[in-house]
Amino acid sequence: MDSEHFQTLIHKHLDDVMSAEERAEFEQMLLTSPQARTEFWKVAKQHAALRTWGESRNGQQRGTASQRHQSRPTRVMWALTGVAALAAVLVLSLISGWGDKPATVSPSELSQEDTSEEYQPENMPAEPPSRSVAVMRATPDVKWNAGSTALAVGDSLQPGWLHLQSGVVQLEFALGARVVLEGPAEFQLVSSGEAFLKSGKLRAFVPEPAQGFRINSPDCLVVDYGTEFGFSVGGTGASEVHVFKGKVEVQPDHDMSRKQMLTGDQAVKMATGGQLVAMSANSASFINEDELGRRRHENSRTAMERWRTGSDWLRQHRDTALYYDFQKTHEWSRTLVNQAVHGLPEAEATVVGCDWVNGRWPDKGALEFKRPGDRLRVSLPGKLMDFSLIAWVRVDSLPWLQNSLIMGDSFQPGETHWFLSREGNIGFGVRNVRNQWTSYKSPPIITPETRGSWVMLVTVYRGYEVNGTVNITHYVNGHTIGSIIQTGPHTLPDLGTFEIGNWAVKPDEPIWVQRGYKSRNPADHVRCLKGRIDEFAVMRGLLSDADVARLWESGRTE
């Protein structure tokens, strides 16, 4: 049985997008293969957990709307009626027999090949609901006030303050309003439909679904009725409201009884005593989205030039064994050439399944990993005493226990794995002579708020021949996030043939059985990355903290 193909059929079945031919094939697999029925049940339970988790997040907001949907476990059962009746009866009877099967596997069920890898229950963990109210969409030439957290494109924003020293940022609120904020500014995100401008200047674009969007200032409240308007608060706290399209309501001193409606080309200024002084709207004094786009394009061009400096450093470094910059030579490029000057020219990466997409900037290439078969196949022979792994990654989701960055598949001492866990940790491990793993996980670094944003991940491995210890250090965006020194029997890493963004193992294929692989969990071999990669390197040497910081500075998105 082709496990990847069957996985695709399962997901099509659960999403109700099967063709008649696929449904017939799916039915036959369920009828004839115990392994297929087992795999179906595993995936169905994962879908059920995801459904329950999603409804728990949305139920309070949608009220009775959620009552229109069945819970996922029930839906999974009833979805089987889409398969032919005989298969439905068979599978349902099997499921009823499996219903009390525990979610975890006893130690005796684990193969000797994999007992030392961490195992987690199949059920999805209870992920805390996101408090995001807006998303950062553009930050050309931005500078943040001292002590403020630097934000990047794609970052999800929770309620709180933005202290902008200079530059421009664009914010997309969850209900649909967009705000272009110019520095210097002090701006508070209150909710998905409300904000507070203490000082600074903004231009708001409010489509029909976002009507009612509110912006407060020290001396007035503006309520939108589907419009485009400018709002500024000077150093004295006096506010100006300029309406370019549509209609807004202005409440001086937040007094509803004194509210005034403004339409296109009208403007007012707050005067002493809360009086509204009429004036002409001045669109040119507020940056619009066209100007923002021009600035962002210029900023991307500058960022690409800065990145090329760091790229050249990696390419020419004497320790760089592998370097892929993901700049495609033509639309149908299916090979990444090893650009490391001192590396092996034959160490090309073969592209399987992945699609070419944009990377950190519009002119930066990247490969997208989204299907079970998407992967890069690479060979780098030779043991490594000291080495560093570098990758620029955009993570879209973390559905698996291990989401592959690189995965070896030798099942021999020296086999190396680098991955992101389902909880968002960076994981790294090397199989030793006792068939155990010398491994270390960082604290969680990928959260619901950071998914969809580009991050630079670095892991540095240092082996000590004298006393048998190793030092493993993880970095994110130029900063150390965790380090550990471990003792005990160790084997030098040997990448050999490995994959970027996936894992080749398919437990039902004879080659893996012959190599001694036995999965503890039928879903455990699925480790495909969901996201994008636009730069990757392996160095036969140790990157210093300063080296990592330099690479981050040259490659940062803003």
Side-chain angles (χ1 to χ4, degrees):
M1 182 185 72
D2 184 336
S3 182
E4 280 191 12
H5 178 58
F6 185 62
Q7 285 273 342
T8 300
L9 290 178
I10 291 175
H11 288 288
K12 282 189 173 184
H13 169 66
L14 293 172
D15 292 334
D16 198 22
V17 293
M18 267 186 173
S19 67
E21 294 78 9
E22 289 171 331
R23 193 173 300 281
E25 179 184 8
F26 184 58
E27 171 191 344
Q28 186 63 26
M29 287 181 172
L30 290 173
L31 284 167
T32 59
S33 171
Q35 180 186 346
R37 295 192 290 270
T38 299
E39 193 164 346
F40 171 81
W41 174 237
K42 298 290 185 183
V43 176
K45 287 206 296 182
Q46 290 172 353
H47 272 252
L50 281 169
R51 174 78 177 190
T52 303
W53 171 74
E55 289 186 346
S56 70
R57 292 183 63 181
N58 294 328
Q60 291 183 345
Q61 296 179 4
R62 295 187 176 272
T64 58
S66 63
Q67 297 173 7
R68 295 194 296 267
H69 304 280
Q70 297 175 351
S71 67
R72 191 58 170 178
T74 304
R75 184 181 173 190
V76 169
M77 298 297 186
W78 284 107
L80 288 172
T81 60
V83 186
L86 180 59
V89 171
L90 174 61
V91 176
L92 284 170
S93 66
L94 286 165
I95 288 177
S96 66
W98 296 335
D100 298 326
K101 188 175 181 178
T104 57
V105 179
S106 68
S108 61
E109 293 177 295
L110 305 183
S111 75
Q112 291 300 309
E113 290 294 321
D114 291 278
T115 53
S116 57
E117 282 197 31
E118 295 185 19
Y119 179 77
Q120 302 176 37
E122 295 169 26
N123 295 329
M124 290 292 290
E127 183 178 286
S130 172
R131 296 180 60 238
S132 170
V133 298
V135 177
M136 186 74 69
R137 292 313 310 164
T139 58
D141 302 320
V142 66
K143 291 184 180 179
W144 302 96
N145 286 2
S148 296
T149 301
L151 300 170
V153 173
D155 284 355
S156 296
L157 308 178
Q158 298 184 8
W161 284 93
L162 302 180
H163 300 282
L164 187 61
Q165 181 178 331
S166 63
V168 184
V169 300
Q170 183 186 39
L171 310 171
E172 292 182 349
F173 283 78
L175 292 184
R178 306 188 306 278
V179 167
V180 175
L181 179 67
E182 302 177 48
E186 293 182 273
F187 186 73
Q188 183 184 22
L189 301 164
V190 178
S191 71
S192 58
E194 184 173 358
F196 180 82
L197 181 64
K198 183 177 180 181
S199 64
K201 185 188 296 186
L202 63 80
R203 188 170 188 139
F205 306 83
V206 185
E208 189 74 20
Q211 276 198 27
F213 183 67
R214 300 157 58 94
I215 300 183
N216 273 289
S217 75
D219 58 5
C220 76
L221 167 65
V222 174
V223 182
D224 162 80
Y225 289 94
T227 186
E228 179 181 340
F229 66 92
F231 195 4
S232 67
V233 179
T236 62
S239 299
E240 292 183 14
V241 180
H242 299 240
V243 180
F244 311 126
K245 297 178 184 178
K247 181 171 60 176
V248 301
E249 175 187 296
V250 180
Q251 298 179 16
D253 292 333
H254 309 90
D255 184 351
M256 184 179 290
S257 66
R258 299 168 59 200
K259 67 182 180 181
Q260 180 174 327
M261 302 301 296
L262 301 180
T263 57
D265 297 326
Q266 291 184 323
V268 293
K269 180 177 182 177
M270 304 302 122
T272 304
Q275 298 301 310
L276 299 180
V277 179
M279 54 193 298
S280 297
N282 183 2
S283 178
S285 66
F286 298 86
I287 292 178
N288 61 28
E289 291 184 318
D290 289 340
E291 172 62 15
L292 179 70
R294 186 195 67 78
R295 293 191 184 192
R296 188 176 184 188
H297 177 76
E298 178 62 22
N299 188 65
S300 295
R301 186 190 65 78
T302 302
M304 279 284 290
E305 291 300 319
R306 187 180 66 235
W307 166 73
R308 287 191 176 97
T309 301
S311 175
D312 288 341
W313 182 86
L314 268 177
R315 182 181 294 107
Q316 298 175 26
H317 198 287
R318 67 180 184 279
D319 291 337
T320 304
L322 282 180
Y323 178 60
Y324 308 124
D325 67 1
F326 289 75
Q327 293 296 85
K328 60 182 177 182
T329 55
H330 55 81
E331 191 65 31
W332 299 104
S333 297
R334 305 313 289 169
T335 299
L336 299 184
V337 175
N338 182 14
Q339 298 187 11
V341 172
H342 302 286
L344 298 175
E346 62 271 23
E348 297 179 336
T350 300
V351 181
V352 180
C354 305
D355 296 321
W356 283 104
V357 291
N358 288 338
R360 278 165 277 173
W361 310 282
D363 294 331
K364 178 75 183 71
L367 284 172
E368 185 171 31
F369 300 77
K370 61 182 179 181
R371 295 174 291 263
D374 293 347
R375 65 195 69 209
L376 304 180
R377 294 281 293 173
V378 187
S379 290
L380 183 65
K383 294 186 179 296
L384 302 168
M385 171 65 73
D386 301 325
F387 73 105
S388 305
L389 302 172
I390 307 163
W392 273 92
V393 184
R394 194 193 82 175
V395 178
D396 296 333
S397 66
L398 294 170
W400 316 114
L401 295 177
Q402 297 182 9
N403 303 267
S404 171
L405 296 172
I406 67 172
M407 289 274 176
D409 50 38
S410 68
F411 305 107
Q412 300 299 315
E415 178 187 356
T416 303
H417 289 185
W418 191 37
F419 60 92
L420 293 167
S421 75
R422 192 163 58 191
E423 292 72 34
N425 318 78
I426 304 176
F428 175 84
V430 178
R431 191 187 294 270
N432 64 30
V433 292
R434 294 182 180 175
N435 213 29
Q436 297 173 330
W437 289 86
T438 300
S439 60
Y440 173 60
K441 281 186 181 180
S442 75
I445 52 94
I446 303 296
T447 66
E449 285 72 29
T450 60
R451 292 178 190 176
S453 299
W454 285 95
V455 295
M456 187 182 82
L457 307 178
V458 176
T459 293
V460 175
Y461 176 98
R462 180 170 186 171
Y464 298 89
E465 289 185 308
V466 176
N467 57 8
T469 63
V470 297
N471 187 334
I472 303 169
T473 304
H474 296 304
Y475 299 80
V476 173
N477 292 343
H479 300 286
T480 306
I481 57 164
S483 183
I484 190 171
I485 295 177
Q486 293 187 335
T487 60
H490 300 304
T491 301
L492 293 180
D494 185 356
L495 295 179
T497 297
F498 63 96
E499 296 195 339
I500 299 174
N502 216 320
W503 199 32
V505 175
K506 300 178 183 178
D508 58 319
E509 292 186 353
I511 185 174
W512 304 116
V513 176
Q514 292 168 10
R515 291 187 182 184
Y517 177 77
K518 179 181 178 182
S519 176
R520 305 150 300 170
N521 172 3
D524 186 48
H525 70 281
V526 182
R527 302 184 183 184
C528 48
L529 180 69
K530 300 290 186 180
R532 301 180 180 186
I533 300 177
D534 77 350
E535 193 168 11
F536 177 87
V538 177
M539 301 186 72
R540 295 180 183 272
L542 304 174
L543 282 176
S544 67
D545 291 351
D547 291 334
V548 175
R550 185 186 304 113
L551 287 173
W552 155 250
E553 180 61 28
S554 68
R556 59 185 172 83
T557 53
E558 299 292 348

